[in-house]
Amino acid sequence: MKQVKTSRDRKAKWLVPFLLFVGIIIDAALPAIFPGAFIGTSQIIISHLVLYYIVTFSFYLRDTNILFYAFIFGLLYESYIATLLGLYATLYFLLAYLIIKLRKFFPKKAFIHFMLFIVAVTIVDFIVFVFYFELGLTNVTITTFLVDRLGPTLIFNVVLAFLLYLPTKQILNWLGFEEYIIF
């Protein structure tokens, strides 16, 4: 049993940061290459692949440094994509902490994982909107935000989460978590 845990920890130690790093790169490129025919002219799509993997690893993996990774990759995400430094890092850290504390109350099912991801995307985008609005960095109304940004972002990320279901299941199986992500 000790050998399995050591192998799992060793795999997770390099795989988690690798997937988060690749997620940052894809998050930056995905909305730009997404066909404009699927969204309106004023609508914006924000990819949350990094957040997807933070939610996934916080929900399923034990004994990882996901809180540290959430903060560090939140800073990297901001330095690469966002305007202000510290907001995403703090939000990612707090969401990972919250999921770690709440996961014992939820079964390890894909449906619960998807719901947590949808809630996480909503929370992150809404807090970022409020923060930018209060600082005067945006003058978008709440209605415009909900229709032009949050709605398309949620739809896009739900589809992304469904597309990532099987690869994520394979990754978790490879890490030794066969009993998880079962409908």
Side-chain angles (χ1 to χ4, degrees), residues 78-120:
E78 289 172 315
S79 66
Y80 193 60
I81 295 172
T83 309
L84 299 173
L85 216 54
L87 184 58
Y88 279 95
T90 304
L91 290 173
Y92 285 178
F93 177 84
L94 291 174
L95 281 171
Y97 180 77
L98 184 65
I99 290 169
I100 287 170
K101 291 300 179 188
L102 293 177
R103 70 182 174 195
K104 62 185 166 201
F105 301 112
F106 297 109
K108 302 284 194 257
K109 305 277 186 195
F111 182 74
I112 302 296
H113 175 244
F114 290 142
M115 291 297 115
L116 283 173
F117 177 61
I118 291 167
V119 169

Side-chain angles (χ1 to χ4, degrees), residues 3-78:
Q3 179 65 21
V4 171
K5 186 177 183 313
T6 305
S7 175
R8 181 186 313 166
D9 291 344
R10 186 173 298 130
K11 289 176 187 177
K13 188 172 243 174
W14 68 266
L15 184 67
V16 171
F18 175 75
L19 286 175
L20 291 173
F21 182 74
V22 169
I24 289 173
I25 295 168
I26 293 173
D27 274 346
L30 204 53
I33 63 172
F34 189 75
F38 291 112
I39 59 173
T41 55
S42 64
Q43 293 179 324
I44 299 170
I45 291 176
I46 306 297
S47 176
H48 286 289
L49 187 60
V50 173
L51 183 59
Y52 174 79
Y53 280 117
I54 288 172
V55 169
T56 300
F57 295 137
S58 299
F59 189 63
Y60 291 108
L61 301 184
R62 297 177 188 101
D63 304 328
T64 62
N65 298 321
I66 192 62
L67 293 175
F68 173 74
Y69 292 141
F71 185 78
I72 295 300
F73 283 94
L75 283 175
L76 287 173
Y77 180 86
E78 289 172 315

Side-chain angles (χ1 to χ4, degrees), residues 148-163:
D148 287 345
R149 181 176 171 174
L150 188 60
T153 296
L154 282 174
I155 292 168
F156 177 80
N157 283 290
V158 166
V159 171
L160 184 67
F162 279 116
L163 292 175

